[in-house]
Amino acid sequence: MAVTDSVGNHKRLDAQLSPSLLTTTELGASATFLASPDLYYFNRPTHTRHFPVIRMAAANGTLFYLDARTGEVITAFDSAAQKSRWWVYGPHNMDFWSWLRSPTARLMVIFPTLCCVLSIYITGVTIGMRRLGFIKRR
């Protein structure tokens, strides 16, 4: 049973009505207890994740993340969300590895990468303008 106290804190109660965390043994073999981030469930600058959680894998590959205190489903990643994590959000956010999520690493890796992309963009615009005749060659 899950209850909410007068302050708004959520708790899970066992059969004796004492607070207890949800355990992986209660959920089965596909459940994994996580006290730290993994490849899909991690903190972002705009969204802080809460731990501990339990990751469960469904038969179709969908990953469910449950709050270990209440048993509530926090988020789920189906196969489409898992693919977009690696093919869309990963390259755009550059957060494939946990060390890339720190501000120092982002400054040291992403800033030079963006400078290279900007130089490629400027080169492409310059070549295009020369081809279209907007810039005369000397």
Side-chain angles (χ1 to χ4, degrees):
M1 178 183 345
V3 296
T4 305
D5 62 14
S6 61
V7 182
N9 297 324
H10 302 288
K11 293 181 183 175
R12 182 179 178 274
L13 304 178
D14 60 9
Q16 290 75 32
L17 299 180
S18 53
S20 69
L21 289 176
L22 189 61
T23 62
T24 57
T25 55
E26 294 172 317
L27 296 172
S30 69
T32 306
F33 185 83
L34 297 175
S36 61
D38 70 351
L39 294 174
Y40 296 100
Y41 189 81
F42 54 87
N43 291 326
R44 294 188 174 111
T46 58
H47 191 261
T48 302
R49 300 289 190 174
H50 300 284
F51 292 95
V53 295
I54 295 176
R55 181 184 60 213
M56 292 195 58
N60 65 358
T62 301
L63 297 175
F64 292 95
Y65 289 87
L66 307 163
D67 188 337
R69 295 171 294 162
T70 63
E72 175 186 10
V73 176
I74 299 171
T75 190
F77 292 93
D78 61 359
S79 64
Q82 291 174 22
K83 288 176 187 172
S84 69
R85 165 37 186 147
W86 297 107
W87 293 102
V88 177
Y89 296 109
H92 286 90
N93 296 339
M94 293 290 290
D95 61 359
F96 290 113
W97 302 281
S98 61
W99 63 270
L100 270 175
R101 296 181 198 127
S102 73
T104 305
R106 293 186 70 74
L107 182 64
M108 293 175 62
V109 173
I110 293 176
F111 184 71
T113 304
L114 289 175
C115 289
C116 290
V117 169
L118 178 64
S119 66
I120 292 169
Y121 168 77
I122 291 171
T123 303
V125 168
T126 304
I127 291 171
M129 292 178 79
R130 282 185 180 169
R131 283 224 154 168
L132 293 173
F134 293 118
I135 298 176
K136 302 287 184 195
R137 293 186 189 181
R138 295 179 189 182

